[in-house]
Amino acid sequence: MGRVALVTGGSRGIGAAIAKKLKEDGYAVAATYAGNDEAAAKFTEETGIKTYKWNVADYDESKAGIDKVEAELGPIDVVVANAGITKDAPFHKMTPEQWQQVIDTNLTGVFNTVHPVWPGMRERKFGRVIVISSINGQKGQFAQVNYAATKAGDLGIVKSLAQEGARAGITANAVCPGYIATEMVMAVPDKVREAIIGQIPAGRLGEPEEIARCVAFLASDDAGFINGSTISANGAQFFV
Ligand code: CAA
């Protein structure tokens, strides 16, 4: 099909599954990563997907990285803002640094990723913006005041972008994964994770591929009238 897709945080976890699925579907894919050179090199070796290193929290780095991707692969048609971090702590222990790092990466990072590709999408009258939010942006989560704020913010971003992009053939949607079997969730203390699984009616964590398939659908021509929506994939843990 010849379309180009950019996936931030695309060398590990949910992002890696998204990058692989989009490649399978025929996109030329660029995956970004922040710091783990070893994981990125392994990912490229295994998948043939090119990886690019930049910090999504930095606008100038993001813009320069996106210019490089577009010079190498062509104009970006599909942007998946997936890169995200956690710095969990109960609110009374959360430091201003923990707050700011998560805001900068997860929320400002979405602005920095989408803003540079937006003018080109408007000119070409086609674009797909997909932001990976979270169940915890929908319901809140103990020890995640910072993370939940960013993931709720994602929903405001896509609802606003949807209205701005609709006439220009651009859709903007969010996917809210529940608890998925990735390094991020595995980093939660075992006891806490077991308790969380107990709250999931499906009785299991989700698989990264289950999120990747939602993203691939939203990226497709078939999803052209879905705009400003949120797809929840959480094993019935939470309904909006
Ligand atoms: N609900 C209510 N109370 C909770 C709780 C919860 N979910 N989790 C912990 N607590 C309570 C504990 O029982 C404990 O209470 P007591 O003091 O009465 O015993 C107290 O909170 C914990 O206090 P601590 O001082 O021990 O906490 P801590 O500073 O050591 O922090 C923690 C521990 C960071 C909260 C740790 O338990 C943790 O990481 N929890 C997981 C948070 C979580 O679910 N994060 C999601 C990560 S996955 C993700 O983000 C991906 C996604 O999008 C879904």
Side-chain angles (χ1 to χ4, degrees), residues 86 88-90 92-93 133-136 141-144 147 151 177-180 184-185 187-189 192 196 199:
T86 54
D88 293 354
H92 64 281
K93 290 186 185 171
S133 175
S134 165
I135 185 174
N136 291 344
Q141 170 60 36
F142 189 100
Q144 286 201 314
Y147 184 87
K151 296 300 179 177
Y179 282 77
I180 308 299
M184 186 183 273
V185 170
V188 170
V192 178
I196 289 168
Q199 293 160 11

Side-chain angles (χ1 to χ4, degrees), residues 66-170:
I66 286 166
D67 286 348
K68 186 167 182 234
V69 169
E70 293 202 319
E72 291 181 10
L73 302 185
I76 292 167
D77 303 293
V78 175
V79 60
V80 185
N82 164 76
I85 58 169
T86 54
K87 298 279 173 199
D88 293 354
F91 189 55
H92 64 281
K93 290 186 185 171
M94 188 174 283
T95 63
E97 290 73 26
Q98 287 174 317
W99 166 261
Q100 200 60 49
Q101 284 170 2
V102 172
I103 296 291
D104 290 349
T105 301
N106 297 15
L107 190 62
T108 307
V110 176
F111 177 89
N112 294 344
T113 300
V114 180
H115 192 260
V117 302
W118 190 255
M121 289 180 169
R122 279 166 50 87
E123 270 166 35
R124 294 186 301 277
K125 298 272 179 274
F126 180 84
R128 292 283 188 267
V129 174
I130 300 152
V131 180
I132 306 304
S133 175
S134 165
I135 185 174
N136 291 344
Q138 298 172 301
K139 72 169 186 58
Q141 170 60 36
F142 189 100
Q144 286 201 314
V145 164
N146 50 3
Y147 184 87
T150 65
K151 296 300 179 177
D154 288 342
L155 305 184
I157 290 174
V158 299
K159 287 172 190 172
S160 303
L161 286 179
Q163 294 176 50
E164 293 195 23
R167 292 274 180 100
I170 306 171

